[in-house]
Amino acid sequence: MRRRPRSSPAPAAPAPGALPIDTHRARVLEHIHQHQVTILVGETGCGKSSRVPVMLLEDPPAPDQPPRRLFIAQPRRIAAEALYRRLQAALGRLVGLR
């Protein structure tokens, strides 16, 4: 089987305690900055829900952009509440739950 050449280098192995999405931080943020809509697909537990909101809040908006506001939807209320508690603990600041 012949392999296609890669357009970008493979991501580095995650550090201990890191989640798989962490190795793609720069690529995720770049795509979000360049596109109005971004859909992330990954295995359960890779960090889509817990790490990406933190990435976005830690990455300051450009001076000509308004402050960031994130809306995260979860298919089940229990998952939404668990995510709320994890983000609030990780960020140590105001995170809303409705």
Side-chain angles (χ1 to χ4, degrees), residues 71-87:
F71 297 92
I72 302 168
Q74 292 290 331
R76 302 178 327 252
R77 182 163 179 82
I78 293 171
E81 290 175 359
L83 177 58
Y84 160 76
R85 284 193 281 286
R86 279 198 320 242
L87 289 175

Side-chain angles (χ1 to χ4, degrees), residues 26-96:
R27 189 171 167 196
V28 168
L29 291 173
E30 179 183 350
H31 192 277
I32 289 170
H33 288 302
Q34 293 177 356
H35 298 88
Q36 188 173 7
V37 176
T38 298
I39 298 173
L40 297 173
V41 178
E43 297 290 326
T44 300
C46 75
K48 298 178 304 291
S49 296
S50 61
R51 292 286 215 264
V52 173
V54 174
M55 287 179 192
L56 290 170
L57 292 172
E58 289 176 348
D59 183 54
D64 60 336
Q65 293 179 337
R68 294 219 171 96
R69 294 178 1 164
L70 304 177
F71 297 92
I72 302 168
Q74 292 290 331
R76 302 178 327 252
R77 182 163 179 82
I78 293 171
E81 290 175 359
L83 177 58
Y84 160 76
R85 284 193 281 286
R86 279 198 320 242
L87 289 175
Q88 191 174 38
L91 294 172
R93 57 180 159 167
L94 180 63
V95 176

Side-chain angles (χ1 to χ4, degrees), residues 10-16 18-19 23:
L19 294 175
T23 60

